[in-house]
Each structure stands twice: as structure tokens, then as C-alpha cells.
Amino acid sequence: MFSQSRPKTDASEFLQLNKHWLLFQLDGMCQKVEPDPKTKAEKRPNGKSKSGKGSGKTPASKPKVKTTPKEAQTYLTQVVNKGRFQKVGDTLTVQAGDTLELRCKGNPVQWAVPAYLEEDDEGRLRTVQHEHYGTLILANATAADTGEFTCYPMYCEDQDCRKQYDKGVKVFIFFSDPQELFVPSADYYKVIQLRTNWPTVLPCQVTSPQAKVTLHREFPPLEVKVDGREISFDVKKGFTIHRPKQYHAGSLYCVASLGNLRQSSTTYMLIYVNYPAAPPFPAIQTSSDTVVVGQNLQVTCTVIGEQDVVVDFTWEYPGQKIGRPLYTQDSVQTVQVDGQNRQRTQITLLVDEVREVDQGTYTCTAQNLEGSRSASTTVKVQSARTTIKPKKP
């Protein structure tokens, strides 16, 4: 039998083979296999994935959205004691003689106070702006300080700041004084004008929301009925006459009572004035658009409006240039318009023996307490030798 023998391998060839085998093993151990992008994406939470190297695509970067921080709401708090605060509602009652301290969230803020305090020259009122809030401090408060306090947040661009009126926070503060039921006033009598269809306020302002307030007439002496419709009462304002009429005029005053204390307010002298709802609407008309020298001319201005409303008229006419005197006739009548009584106020400008200088524009201006309006017309003057066509009726 023949025996097959292994071929002989010399030492140099054996070393060369081992070298290649080791390099292959090391290359396999060190080589980094890139994961499949889809597989990697599936493994990432919330579906977020990153593209790996060698993908050949540059990931598109999302544009950054600039978010505006939510604006903090402005609100008022009262400092009761050091370290103790309470949120303020629509009204607040503070005892006269105490110190009021309010805080308003925001930077910067601006305060509005009752008119009496705006003229304060005693140093009782001061405001301080802190980093996140503003403070108002009123020392030794009096009944006269009763009124509305407002904090306005400010909107600033660089150094220019303005009030944000729609975001102002208001509180009405009563400074209760056991000896003063009404806010003190230097006036014994106060004249108030009643205007037709305009609500009128009688400012019987009390210092305590607990006080009971009634309205009275001086002559004849009687209590005025307050029904909530024709006349109403608001503890923060006083009495309101919603649609003033002639019979509301006269001398009125308020009476406040709290416990055993009863006091009367300033006396209000109510004077009724029939104010119109709008300025007058004049209409102008001439006896003839074209007149002959020597004839007479009449220009009439008419206003139809509310009754008992005074209307004043003024004229502009060509004859003013030479000092031609003004002659007018006026009348006031009640007429029926759409089944209602209306007032017709009329004025007529009389131009006797027309001359050429009277040719031109005639303007009538009617004025009442609400304003004025004008109406104009043009008149032609012809010589006596010119034939004039009669004006159509």
C-alpha cells in the first residue's frame, strides 16, 4: 500500500499564514458595524431617530420657534401684618387712622388715587417700586380718603412707558369713621345740572358700606322714592337719576344712618335744562332763486326738533359786505310729525328792495346746546330789463 504523505511546509511560509490569520481576526473584532437606520429608529422612544454616519443624507433641522413667556396677571393684595397678606376684592374697608398698604404685582406699575389724595401735600401718601411689585402706603387715613384706588401695569419699550388701561386693577376703599358717615365736603350747597336723557349722579358718598342712605327733598320736605329704575343707589357712587325730568329739579339732600348716628349730606341744587339729543338740522328756502332789482327777498331757515329746546340762528349774507342791516322774523310752533308733537323753530331773513350787491350765498347756522349745523342757498339778482321765468311751485 502506498501511504500518502503531507507536503512539507517550511518555517517562513507557516509564519506568513499565521500573520494573515491574526490580522483577519483583529479586523473582525475592531470593525464597527453600522445599525440599520430603521431598526435604530424603532428602538428610540417617542419615534425620534438620528441618522447614522454613512447614510448620505444631512438631517433637516427644524426651525426654532421663539416662544413668548406668558404674561403674569396683575392683582392687588393688602399687607395686613408683616408677612401676612390678603387678596383684595372689589371693595375694602379700613378704619380711619390706620395705615393702608397695598401691593400690586408687576414692574413697573402706576397708581391712580382719589382726587383728594392727588393734591396731598402732607406726605401721607407714598409709592415704591420693587423688583416684582409696586407698593402704595397711605398713613393716618381719614374719611376724606374714601374712593377708588387703581393699579395700572405699564408697557415699556426702551425708556417709553404707557399705562395698560384695560389691565388695570381697581378697588374701592371705605375709610370708616364713627363720626363721619359722609365723605367730608367743603361745600354746603352744590349746583348740579339735570340734562335731558343724561344720567345725573348725586354724589352722596358714605364712608361705610353698612350705612343706610335715603334721599330727601327740602321743599316740600319729603323722602324721595328710590325704585331702582328711575332713581337708583350705589354705595360707591351715590344716587343716580337715570332720565332727568323737570319734576326732578329742586333742593335735595341725603341722610345716612348707622347705629345711633344719623347725618345729612351736602344739599344739591338741581337745575333742569332740556338738552337736545343732537344738534339741529336746519333747512333753508328762498321766496325766489332769482329776483329783480327792486323786488323783496325772503330767506327762511327752519328747524324741526324736540320740544322746549332753544335754537339760536345766525346769518351770513352778501349785504354784510356793505353793512346792510339784518331784519328777521322768528316763530316757534308745535307741529305733528309722524304722530308726535315736535317743535318747529323758524326764522326769516327779509331783504327789501334787492340790489345787485345782494346776489350771492345766504347761509343760516342753527345752534342748540348740543352743537350747530349750517345750510346754504344761492340767490341771483337780475336787472329790471331782464325777463325772469316764474319759479315752479
Side-chain angles (χ1 to χ4, degrees), residues 93 97 133 213 283 379:
T93 301
Y133 61 90
V213 188
V379 175

Side-chain angles (χ1 to χ4, degrees), residues 199-266:
T200 301
V201 176
L202 278 62
C204 304
Q205 181 57 66
V206 291
T207 61
S208 171
Q210 306 302 322
K212 181 182 177 182
V213 188
T214 53
L215 183 62
H216 298 259
R217 183 178 293 276
E218 253 185 354
F219 306 106
L222 54 85
E223 182 177 338
V224 178
K225 182 181 178 181
V226 178
D227 58 5
R229 295 187 302 273
E230 185 176 351
I231 302 177
S232 64
F233 177 73
D234 185 337
V235 72
K236 295 186 289 185
K237 293 194 301 184
F239 290 97
T240 300
I241 303 174
H242 294 280
R243 297 178 66 86
K245 303 294 182 185
Q246 179 69 48
Y247 59 81
H248 289 129
S251 226
L252 280 76
Y253 64 96
C254 306
V255 174
S257 56
L258 183 63
N260 296 324
L261 185 62
R262 180 182 170 92
Q263 291 181 342
S264 297
S265 71
T266 295

Side-chain angles (χ1 to χ4, degrees), residues 193-201 240-245 273-278 370:
Q193 196 176 79
L194 297 175
R195 297 177 57 174
T196 311
N197 300 325
W198 282 71
T200 301
V201 176
T240 300
I241 303 174
H242 294 280
R243 297 178 66 86
K245 303 294 182 185
V273 179
N274 191 9
Y275 265 76
E370 275 299 310

Side-chain angles (χ1 to χ4, degrees), residues 9 50 54 92 102 113 134 145 172 184 222 234 268 286 349 355:
T9 303
K50 292 184 180 180
L92 180 65
L102 296 177
V113 297
D145 301 329
F172 194 95
L222 54 85
D234 185 337
Y268 301 100
T286 61
L349 174 64
R355 291 178 282 178

